Amino acid sequence: MSYEIFAEDDGVIRLFSSLANPIRATIIWRLTEGSADVSELTEILQVSQPLVSGHLAILRKAHLIEAKRVGRRMEYSLIDEHVAHIFKDAYTHMKEHDHCEH
């Protein structure tokens, strides 16, 4: 059987690396419920707007979220349902194994 060797710049590595941050993980978790703007995300995260914008840029570059202009503001949403499934599956997996000490 042949296995793919993943490089630093591989999409799968970028995806998991981009999720390996508490602020970005919280943003993705919130966006599983629907779109949000920077103001809402800033309020939820209790951090500065420039910090949230920087994390949003990383998530956009990883092709996990997209932005759409709605009037004068930008709305951010997950790029597709795969992102929600990946995140929710990882979350459920970790909750199920939270009690384990492997």
Side-chain angles (χ1 to χ4, degrees), residues 45-59:
L45 293 161
Q46 295 295 295
V47 296
S48 70
Q49 185 271 326
L51 184 60
V52 171
S53 293
H55 285 288
L56 289 168
I58 291 167
L59 292 170

Side-chain angles (χ1 to χ4, degrees), residues 1-71:
M1 179 175 248
S2 175
Y3 294 97
E4 183 171 346
I5 305 296
F6 294 100
E8 285 283 324
D9 63 345
D10 189 273
V12 172
I13 301 303
R14 283 194 321 270
L15 180 147
F16 285 108
S17 294
S18 67
L19 292 175
N21 175 281
I23 290 175
R24 293 192 294 270
T26 303
I27 291 170
I28 294 294
W29 184 246
R30 165 54 190 85
L31 295 181
T32 63
E33 300 297 318
S35 63
D37 64 14
V38 175
S39 305
E40 180 182 345
L41 295 170
T42 300
E43 186 176 319
I44 290 167
L45 293 161
Q46 295 295 295
V47 296
S48 70
Q49 185 271 326
L51 184 60
V52 171
S53 293
H55 285 288
L56 289 168
I58 291 167
L59 292 170
R60 286 179 74 184
K61 187 176 179 182
H63 303 289
L64 298 176
I65 66 169
E66 59 188 0
K68 183 169 87 174
R69 183 163 296 285
V70 178

